[in-house]
Amino acid sequence: DLASKYRATLAQLVIACTAAQPGVTHVLVGVRTTQQAVENAAAGEIQLDPADVRKMMADTEKLGAPA
């Protein structure tokens, strides 16, 4: 699983995947605690393999639009 592969939380993977999208220059996230801020910031250090980004995006598209 990708969380194990990258030793990252699901939130960190989402942030890293969002940042990896073409044209994205920043990712806006919210936090409630200092720990969340530190964990979210660490997502900026994750270098996702392009194949993993494609898989994450394909999986997201399979979910469809919110109801």
Side-chain angles (χ1 to χ4, degrees):
D1 108 305
L2 292 178
S4 296
K5 177 179 179 178
Y6 291 100
R7 293 185 177 136
T9 65
L10 179 58
Q12 288 172 322
L13 290 175
V14 170
I15 294 165
C17 185
T18 301
Q21 299 308 302
V24 172
T25 58
H26 66 279
V27 179
L28 182 63
V29 299
V31 300
R32 293 182 184 201
T33 67
T34 303
Q35 181 178 351
Q36 285 177 336
V38 171
E39 288 178 2
N40 288 352
E45 301 297 321
I46 298 171
Q47 296 295 315
L48 296 173
D49 183 283
D52 291 335
V53 173
R54 288 190 298 274
K55 180 181 181 341
M56 292 173 73
M57 294 307 297
D59 290 348
T60 300
E61 288 176 15
K62 287 178 189 175
L63 294 173

